[in-house]
Amino acid sequence: MSNISIKNLSVHYDGYCALKGLDFEACKGEFVAIVGKSGSGKTTFLHALARLVEFSGDISAPKNVGMVFQHYAVFPWFTASENIAFGLDNETKEKRAQIVRKHLKLAKLEDKKDKYPAELSGGQVQRIALARSLAHNPEVLLMDEPYGALDAYTRDKMQQWLLDIWTTHKKTIVFVTHNIEEAIFLSDRILVLNDKKFVGEYKISFARPRNESIKFSPEFNKLRQQIFESLNHSNN
Amino acid sequence: MKRFLWFILPIIVLITLWEFVSRSGFVNLALFPPPSQVAVALWEMITSGTLFSDLRDSLWRLLAGLFLGSAFGVVFGLLTGRIKSFATTLTPIIQILRPLPAVAIMPLVIVWFGIDNGAKIFSIAFAVFFPVWINAHIGARQIPQTFLWSAKLFTNSPVKIFREVVFPAALPFIIAGIRTGIAIGFIMVFISELSGASSGLGYRISITSLAYRIDQMIAALIVLGALGAIADQLFAFGTRKIFPWIKFSSR
């Protein structure tokens, strides 16, 4: 069952071609990772998918899309709970409070609900960003290098936390990163984006639930090497 | 305590020096009245009630002008900063009016509004409008795209986006604009009261010059200066209370 189906997607910015003729499919509940270097068009791909930029081609995807941006985009003028509550206007007051409580708990920030983002750590802010998206109960979650700015230790913890959430919520996730290791650890499938096109596809068959130890296995290393070569090879 | 000492000490030194120079006989006592004489004059102005009525009238003109100028400045600044049709239609008009010194429009404003409060409030609002507008305009233009995209993904209401995303995102700029506006407002309240006024601190300063009461003039100037400093600090304090997150903002 296909949840997202994209045919011949192209994006142009002021005469500059950012993506040309991409096809993409994702099943419901699938965790797809897209890896690529800076400027390869990964972020543009997500922006088109969320219909934030003009594009040509066909995108068939649910209307209710959540997005976690590269630079958090959590509003600094709202507290943790106000950020999560933003845009939940169609709910009754009680229902809204209940959703906020539930998602603060999910972000493990119940005791920080009245703190402003500037008073929280990078990992905590990023948990608000994800909790805020989930509060709108999206069918598809788009994540644009959400952990790019975190230190390695926090990044590992956030990856595990994301997998826990994905296992319970079963959202379709499209996760963009330049970190190959992160992509292998998290996803079911990896697409390599290079110079505005997909140049490779890798099925990741590590059993779930996954833990850190797989990162040291020979299969993991082999995959990493293959993807690394695919990233660099097609550049010539 | 130590900070207070460093704050008050230079003032005490300055006043002592001034008293000493005035009484030394090297300067004309009528032109350079010593602080003790100024203090007496200030006390007279307080007890006779003139200071109170001057303050009340000046403050009312200032606050009304500031409020109107700031409110229009913020609304127009956010609109021209964010919405293209507003930017293309309004910006040229505002840019033509902006270089006009507010003092230059005073005669016209007096012809239009007479010499009542209307003319004074209008000219203060006119002068305050431009720094607030340009700051709100720039503030609204520099909002990171991701904030606006996030807002768009979560809500369809443009009013909500303006109120809860565009306004707070531009707020550090708006505050800077209003603080500039407060300083300009003080200049304008003084200028507008120089001609065609019968009360206010500006009026008092000009009338004491005619009456050769330099002590009263200096007293009124001190009050005007103190008021300006207090108003700015009060505004900064107020914004920190109403928008507690502003202290994390870099601006």
Side-chain angles (χ1 to χ4, degrees):
Chain A
M1 186 171 45
S2 188
N3 198 203
I4 306 171
S5 173
I6 294 176
K7 294 225 162 48
N8 200 24
L9 170 71
S10 295
V11 175
H12 294 266
Y13 289 126
D14 310 315
Y16 165 78
C17 174
L19 287 176
K20 48 187 173 197
L22 293 194
D23 294 335
F24 176 87
E25 299 272 333
C27 299
K28 199 167 169 58
E30 193 182 15
F31 197 132
V32 184
I34 296 173
V35 295
K37 294 179 183 172
S38 302
S40 58
K42 335 186 267 297
T43 297
T44 305
F45 178 74
L46 288 192
H47 289 171
L49 195 40
R51 299 179 174 87
L52 295 172
V53 294
E54 299 276 327
F55 58 86
S56 63
D58 293 319
I59 296 182
S60 151
K63 274 268 171 281
N64 190 0
V65 167
M67 179 137 182
V68 178
F69 289 92
Q70 194 166 9
H71 300 292
Y72 315 141
V74 165
F75 301 130
W77 48 87
F78 286 150
T79 61
S81 54
E82 287 168 343
N83 259 293
I84 294 172
F86 180 80
L88 295 171
D89 302 319
N90 299 329
E91 312 291 348
T92 62
K93 213 175 159 200
E94 295 77 41
K95 178 83 175 145
R96 187 160 62 224
Q98 188 200 331
I99 295 173
V100 170
R101 259 199 315 279
K102 182 180 156 196
H103 288 85
L104 275 169
K105 186 163 181 237
L106 177 117
K108 302 178 197 158
L109 288 171
E110 293 129 301
D111 54 334
K112 301 254 188 320
K113 66 184 174 71
D114 296 323
K115 294 275 184 215
Y116 288 96
E119 300 173 285
L120 301 170
S121 71
Q124 288 168 334
V125 172
Q126 197 50 298
R127 293 210 296 270
I128 299 176
L130 183 58
R132 183 175 71 167
S133 285
L134 290 172
H136 291 259
N137 198 23
E139 284 181 58
V140 173
L141 197 55
L142 309 176
M143 303 183 76
D144 185 9
E145 291 201 40
Y147 304 152
L150 301 178
D151 62 87
Y153 174 73
T154 310
R155 179 184 269 251
D156 285 350
K157 289 210 328 202
M158 294 289 289
Q159 288 170 358
Q160 200 66 62
W161 176 71
L162 177 61
L163 283 185
D164 292 344
I165 287 172
W166 176 71
T167 314
T168 43
H169 288 69
K170 277 292 168 198
K171 306 282 180 200
T172 308
I173 294 183
V174 182
F175 189 102
V176 156
T177 178
H178 60 253
N179 185 322
I180 298 170
E181 191 178 283
E182 179 169 77
I184 303 173
F185 180 68
L186 291 173
S187 70
D188 296 320
R189 187 156 58 93
I190 293 177
L191 288 164
V192 178
L193 188 63
N194 208 334
D195 200 19
K196 301 148 198 167
K197 293 187 296 270
F198 288 126
V199 295
E201 180 168 7
Y202 298 86
K203 189 122 189 69
I204 312 299
S205 41
F206 291 108
R208 298 195 187 260
R210 294 173 185 171
N211 65 49
E212 296 288 308
S213 62
I214 63 164
K215 291 184 181 175
F216 305 101
S217 67
E219 301 98 293
F220 195 97
N221 264 320
K222 200 174 148 207
L223 260 171
R224 177 159 52 189
Q225 192 178 350
Q226 283 174 350
I227 295 169
F228 181 81
E229 277 164 12
S230 160
L231 254 178
N232 287 289
H233 187 253
S234 48
N235 218 17
N236 302 331
Chain B
M1 188 61 209
K2 206 172 172 184
R3 251 183 76 188
F4 180 70
L5 211 68
W6 283 114
F7 164 76
I8 202 81
L9 209 65
I11 298 175
I12 292 172
V13 171
L14 192 74
I15 290 175
T16 316
L17 209 69
W18 172 14
E19 182 81 32
F20 177 76
V21 171
S22 285
R23 295 207 179 274
S24 66
F26 291 118
V27 293
N28 185 340
L29 212 60
L31 291 180
F32 297 96
S36 52
Q37 196 185 325
V38 171
V40 171
L42 185 64
W43 181 247
E44 278 170 15
M45 287 159 77
I46 293 169
T47 49
S48 69
T50 50
L51 184 73
F52 174 74
S53 63
D54 283 340
L55 261 178
R56 185 196 54 206
D57 291 353
S58 290
L59 272 179
W60 157 243
R61 290 162 191 155
L62 178 69
L63 289 178
L66 255 178
F67 175 78
L68 288 173
S70 301
F72 279 100
V74 169
V75 170
F76 279 96
L78 295 183
L79 289 175
T80 56
R82 277 298 4 136
I83 301 173
K84 214 167 185 166
S85 54
F86 278 95
T88 41
T89 51
L90 290 180
T91 311
I93 300 172
I94 296 175
Q95 292 290 25
I96 289 169
L97 291 173
R98 198 159 77 95
L100 279 182
V103 188
I105 67 152
M106 281 297 302
L108 181 64
V109 170
I110 289 173
V111 171
W112 281 348
F113 295 94
I115 54 168
D116 290 339
N117 277 345
K120 299 172 180 65
I121 291 171
F122 180 87
S123 53
I124 295 166
F126 181 86
V128 167
F129 172 82
F130 296 101
V132 177
W133 169 76
I134 192 100
N135 274 281
H137 176 84
I138 293 170
R141 290 189 56 151
Q142 57 75 51
I143 300 172
Q145 188 63 49
T146 46
F147 282 163
L148 299 167
W149 276 341
S150 306
K152 216 171 124 193
L153 286 171
F154 294 133
T155 178
N156 294 320
S157 154
V159 175
K160 193 178 167 71
I161 292 179
F162 251 88
R163 205 181 52 217
E164 296 187 21
V165 179
V166 173
F167 174 71
L171 193 61
F173 284 81
I174 291 171
I175 288 173
I178 294 178
R179 284 180 85 161
T180 314
I182 290 173
I184 291 174
F186 267 89
I187 297 171
M188 282 312 294
V189 88
F190 173 78
I191 291 173
S192 70
E193 287 172 353
L194 280 184
S195 55
S198 54
S199 67
L201 286 169
Y203 163 77
R204 192 60 51 201
I205 290 164
S206 81
I207 206 79
T208 48
S209 151
L210 295 177
Y212 223 67
R213 285 298 303 270
I214 309 297
D215 52 350
Q216 285 189 357
M217 191 199 276
I218 294 175
L221 279 171
I222 289 172
V223 171
L224 192 63
L227 209 63
I230 291 169
D232 185 63
Q233 286 304 307
L234 221 59
F235 178 73
F237 177 78
T239 48
R240 279 199 301 272
K241 278 278 163 230
I242 301 170
F243 310 106
W245 54 271
I246 209 88
K247 61 175 176 282
F248 307 120
S249 157
S250 55
R251 243 168 290 268

